Amino acid sequence: MAAGKLSPRQKMINLMYLVFIAMLALNIDKEVISAFGSINEKFENANSAAELSNSQLINSLDVKASEAGGEFKIASETAHKVASISKNFYDYIGLLKGDILKDTKVDEESGKLPYESMDRGDVIDDKWFSPAGLSSKGKEIKATIEKYKTDMKAVIGNNIKFAATLKEIDSKFDLSKVKDKNGIEREYFEYNFKGFPSITSLSKLSVWQSDVKKAETDIYSSLLGKAAVSAASYNNYQAIVVLDKNAYFQGENVTGKVVLGRYDENTKVSSFNGPGKLVNGQAVLSMTAGGIGEQNIGGSFSFIEDGKPINLPFKGTYVVVPKPNSATISADKMNVVYRGVVNPISVSFAGIGDDKVSASGPGLSPAGGKGKYNMSPQSGTEAKITVTGKLPNGQTVSDSKTFRIKGIPGPSGTIRGEMGIVKGPKSSLEISTIGAKLVDFDFEVGLDVVGFNFKVSGQPTVVVVGNKLNPQCKSVLSRVQRGDQVTISEIKTKLVGAGSYLLPRTSPVIYEIQ
């Protein structure tokens, strides 16, 4: 189904024209270059088949001419003139393709051209074009195309039943200027060939050859004048590229097939059930993409044949990828996790839903939300986190990142929550709590002081267990005078909930008696 009664070659050509235009704005990767090579193979195979089919049609005309003479003899003579003109032009296009492939070798194992390396268009650019426009070779090509159209018109132009065929030839080989997407007129050959990879130009030339064969088929069928021949032609079909899925990852093998499908705007569909509507005999889909990952699409057509309904179901899949809405920004030197605290970790895999992504690593545990984890580093100096995702085709992919493990920096000692040199009366120090504080550390942690040294100049050092002054400290403190300083050092600090883990050396704090 689709607009117009077009042959498969016609439909295939329309598809190729769209692809060629799209390539102006695309940076074609190797997989797509290979895909064009595969499509070129399909055209060449179709052209070979058409050559055999056209030969059989001429043979049929010759047999009828020998049996019945008259109109069949005239038709046979016309057919042979068309065949000669078409062969000359078809072979000339073949020579142009030979120029492109002159220095290209076929792979001995696969028997195919090295499509992925045919990504340059130097041969066409150098031979067909000059600084002033078309080169002498380019002008020769243009003149040969015009001669083909003129010769065909001279042979069949007086017969009205070939008007549509002549119109199609003029359209397919129309060398008029073309407007690009910006509305600027450009020369036909510059717009369609200059700067393109050689494989795309090769495919375009195969399309030309297909146009020639298609014109021959139409003329021979009309000359035979049989409804059976007309029904057997490819006018109502289109070559359709059907990929095995609608999204591929870089490096993945692109697979699919080219099939013939019937597109006919006169097809009467009694009903259509699916996400879209019928327009000129085809279903135009329109829907909102579902969640991230592979989604199903389906429905059915209903037809009436011999008074009975016929239901034709269809189904397919499409892949939804996340819409870019944020950038990934990271400090390359800050891939650090800290021992002794719970480090929050967020995990995702581009193009894969969070429900199909998992992470693992020593000390890593789920944090309750999709893609959210907590890490409590264990022994060693590094921690490796491995992330695994499941693709829509069931294949798994993985990636990993290594983090450096660092200890929590040493805290600063405090008296009454103050650091450095704290001033106050002896009575205040006697009841104060010795504490510790982490300065400019982004994690919220609890610190417990479990011991410290109490020192007054000229007095023995008192070793204290706990976080408050003991009786010995108070005895020493009773003998200090105004202006004396008390040093709290060797402060032993533990993390709350971290077991026996001790923090690095805690800096001392000084208390000056007022």
Side-chain angles (χ1 to χ4, degrees):
M1 296 178 293
K5 294 183 178 179
L6 302 178
S7 72
R9 295 186 190 88
Q10 169 70 35
K11 299 287 186 172
M12 187 181 294
I13 292 162
N14 290 348
L15 174 63
M16 286 299 300
Y17 285 158
L18 293 176
V19 175
F20 279 122
I21 294 172
M23 283 184 62
L24 292 173
L26 291 177
N27 179 16
I28 302 301
D29 59 17
K30 297 297 184 183
E31 288 80 7
V32 178
I33 290 291
S34 293
F36 269 98
S38 299
I39 292 175
N40 182 65
E41 289 180 11
K42 297 294 183 180
F43 272 111
E44 291 185 340
N45 292 338
N47 291 341
S48 297
E51 188 169 6
L52 176 61
S53 176
N54 289 342
S55 176
Q56 293 172 344
L57 289 174
I58 290 182
N59 289 337
S60 298
L61 278 169
D62 290 342
V63 170
K64 285 293 183 181
S66 64
E67 291 177 350
E71 291 296 323
F72 281 103
K73 184 178 181 180
I74 296 174
S76 177
E77 292 172 352
T78 301
H80 280 282
K81 291 179 183 179
V82 170
S84 177
I85 296 170
S86 299
K87 184 178 186 303
N88 290 338
F89 187 43
Y90 186 96
D91 291 345
Y92 180 80
I93 298 172
L95 294 176
L96 299 180
K97 293 170 69 174
D99 289 340
I100 296 176
L101 300 174
K102 183 177 181 181
D103 297 323
T104 303
K105 295 182 179 180
V106 176
D107 184 83
E108 295 181 357
E109 293 184 3
S110 66
K112 296 184 178 183
L113 294 168
Y115 300 129
E116 293 188 0
S117 63
M118 298 175 68
D119 56 356
R120 298 177 60 85
D122 296 346
V123 174
I124 294 291
D125 292 353
D126 294 342
K127 286 194 172 185
W128 293 23
F129 300 96
S130 70
L134 289 177
S135 65
S136 58
K137 183 65 176 180
K139 293 176 182 177
E140 174 192 304
I141 297 169
K142 183 176 182 180
T144 302
I145 294 174
E146 295 296 346
K147 183 178 184 301
Y148 165 72
K149 294 193 292 183
T150 300
D151 291 346
M152 292 292 283
K153 188 175 294 185
V155 174
I156 61 174
N158 295 327
N159 193 328
I160 191 171
K161 68 180 178 180
F162 296 121
T165 301
L166 283 175
K167 183 178 180 180
E168 185 174 359
I169 292 174
D170 285 335
S171 174
K172 295 303 181 185
F173 296 98
D174 183 8
L175 306 183
S176 303
K177 291 183 177 180
V178 183
K179 285 188 177 181
D180 61 18
K181 63 181 181 180
N182 296 318
I184 300 174
E185 285 192 343
R186 296 172 58 188
E187 296 295 336
Y188 174 87
F189 286 96
E190 178 190 4
Y191 182 81
N192 286 282
F193 288 97
K194 191 172 184 180
F196 281 91
S198 60
I199 183 59
T200 63
S201 296
L202 186 70
S203 300
K204 185 71 176 289
L205 293 176
S206 295
V207 171
W208 280 2
Q209 290 181 317
S210 178
D211 292 336
V212 173
K213 290 301 177 186
K214 195 268 180 183
E216 282 188 81
T217 301
D218 290 347
I219 293 170
Y220 301 155
S221 297
S222 296
L223 289 170
L224 278 170
K226 290 185 176 180
V229 174
S230 177
S233 74
Y234 295 112
N235 287 339
N236 293 328
Y237 290 84
Q238 174 178 343
I240 306 169
V241 177
V242 181
L243 297 178
D244 288 339
K245 60 180 184 177
N246 292 328
Y248 290 87
F249 293 94
Q250 184 177 13
E252 189 177 1
N253 187 34
V254 178
T255 59
K257 51 188 173 290
V258 178
V259 299
L260 293 180
R262 185 181 179 91
Y263 280 68
D264 187 358
E265 64 179 351
N266 296 315
T267 299
K268 302 300 182 183
V269 181
S270 60
S271 66
F272 168 70
N273 178 29
K277 61 181 179 179
L278 290 172
V279 178
N280 294 330
Q282 63 179 333
V284 178
L285 301 180
S286 178
M287 61 184 180
T288 302
I292 296 171
E294 187 175 66
Q295 305 294 330
N296 295 318
I297 182 174
S300 64
F301 289 95
S302 292
F303 303 87
I304 301 297
E305 185 175 80
D306 296 331
K308 298 180 180 179
I310 296 178
N311 187 59
L312 296 179
F314 67 88
K315 63 180 180 179
T317 61
Y318 65 97
V319 177
V320 180
V321 298
K323 182 178 181 180
N325 58 10
S326 64
T328 300
I329 304 172
S330 61
D332 294 339
K333 298 296 184 180
M334 294 301 291
N335 53 333
V336 173
V337 291
Y338 289 95
R339 182 179 285 110
V341 296
V342 176
N343 298 260
I345 301 290
S346 295
V347 171
S348 64
F349 218 124
I352 303 178
D354 289 337
D355 59 332
K356 300 294 178 61
V357 176
S358 61
S360 62
L364 191 70
S365 61
K370 290 184 178 180
K372 300 298 182 182
Y373 293 82
N374 288 330
M375 168 166 274
S376 299
Q378 300 175 1
S379 60
T381 59
E382 291 184 341
K384 183 178 180 181
I385 297 178
T386 300
V387 181
T388 302
K390 187 174 182 181
L391 300 177
N393 62 2
Q395 180 184 357
T396 58
V397 291
S398 62
D399 195 6
S400 63
K401 186 170 184 178
T402 300
F403 292 82
R404 292 178 293 134
I405 300 176
K406 296 182 66 176
I408 296 175
S412 299
T414 65
I415 299 174
R416 302 187 317 225
E418 300 178 57
M419 299 180 297
I421 298 177
V422 183
K423 298 180 180 182
K426 289 190 291 183
S427 59
S428 177
L429 180 57
E430 286 180 349
I431 62 174
S432 293
T433 299
I434 307 303
K437 180 184 296 185
L438 287 170
V439 181
D440 295 330
F441 188 64
D442 293 333
F443 290 85
E444 292 290 338
V445 295
L447 302 179
D448 278 345
V449 171
V450 297
F452 60 91
N453 288 358
F454 182 89
K455 175 66 176 176
V456 176
S457 180
Q459 300 292 328
T461 300
V462 179
V463 178
V464 180
V465 176
N467 60 1
K468 288 185 176 292
L469 274 62
N470 61 17
Q472 289 176 281
C473 295
K474 294 178 181 179
S475 176
V476 173
L477 187 61
S478 66
R479 294 191 289 271
V480 301
Q481 303 295 322
R482 185 186 299 271
D484 289 343
Q485 291 186 336
V486 178
T487 301
I488 307 297
S489 62
E490 302 298 327
I491 303 172
K492 296 178 176 60
T493 307
K494 295 177 62 176
L495 280 173
V496 175
S500 60
Y501 179 74
L502 288 175
L503 291 171
R505 180 186 177 91
T506 303
S507 62
V509 60
I510 296 173
Y511 191 88
E512 184 176 316
I513 306 300
Q514 295 289 299

